[in-house]
Amino acid sequence: MKETKRPYVILSAAMTIDGKIATISGDPELSDEKDWREVHKLRSQVDAIMVGKGTILKDNPKLHIKYFKHKGYYRIIIDSNLSIPIDSNVIIYQPELYPTIICTTKNVPMKKIKEYESKKVKILQYGDGKQVDLTKMVLDLSTMGINSMLLEGGGNLNWSFIKHDLIDEMRLAIAPWIVGGKDAITLVEGVGFEKMKQGRKFKLLKVYKRDNYIVLKYRREESL
Ligand SMILES: NC(=O)c1ccc[n+]([C@@H]2O[C@H](COP(=O)([O-])OP(=O)(O)OC[C@H]3O[C@@H](n4cnc5c(N)ncnc54)[C@H](OP(=O)(O)O)[C@@H]3O)[C@@H](O)[C@H]2O)c1
């Protein structure tokens, strides 16, 4: 029988004092080495790491672990039209340790799917709308044994997770810069809620200061 539970989702991000997760030109270099170590430690504790297509196009991350021994995990990319470059780092870098799944829509032609599958990428299709149906997706991922997941942005994917109430915990590092720019990407983008009470509320669990950084840990109120 199909399980109805979904993975436990932890949103992890580094942002500036003014809430940006990259500069206006897309420079994402916010974390220092100690912050990366903490993020890599978190990565070593989950079954999957997820990012949106925008993050792949702008940063081309490997989504690997540099500092710890670990058993590997899935890298999951959200890409409605299956359009990330076939030579992206998430596809070519260590696929045996970090198998890559691209979640897309049913609008993608089979020929394109086969092209990515030939690079050992697993393609999953959720919904036939403009964007990936995340609610269907999370339920399905849990049937694949993905019980915990780190959501590593960017701002637009974070919004969809917030809107659909899919975030259980957050780990936010506040880096000591202000960069401004009304079009610089923020922690959560999207259309936003009109009223404060429609917003998703989180409980502050932990705050700590390290060097010039602050790390905040939150859990959604209903999970407590
Ligand atoms: N500081 C940090 O911690 C951090 C972490 C991650 C990223 N970043 C920064 O964030 C920026 C990228 O953020 P972004 O907002 O442009 O891109 P993103 O959130 O990584 O990806 C958004 C894209 O995902 C696709 N998508 C498919 N289904 C979706 C759905 N249901 N909901 C939302 N998105 C869906 C959409 O493109 P299609 O519809 O075309 O597929 C959408 O444009 C980069 O500059 C990166 O450096 C910073």
Side-chain angles (χ1 to χ4, degrees), residues 12-15 20-23 26-28 30-31 51-56 58-59 78-83 103 130-134 152-161 164 185-186 189:
S12 168
M15 62 186 193
K20 313 290 187 189
I21 57 171
T23 65
D27 180 357
L30 284 162
S31 296
V51 301
K53 171 181 128 182
T55 299
I56 298 297
K58 289 198 177 109
D59 302 349
I78 309 301
D79 179 3
S80 315
N81 305 303
L82 201 51
S83 58
C103 297
K130 273 194 179 156
Q131 293 204 314
V132 178
D133 185 330
L134 300 179
E152 293 200 26
N156 281 289
L157 189 60
N158 290 348
W159 161 250
S160 291
F161 268 75
H164 293 295
I185 205 111
T186 62
E189 293 285 326

Side-chain angles (χ1 to χ4, degrees), residues 15-19 29-31 174-179 213:
M15 62 186 193
T16 60
I17 297 166
D18 52 337
E29 297 299 326
L30 284 162
S31 296
I174 302 186
W177 289 280
I178 291 182
V179 293
Y213 281 71

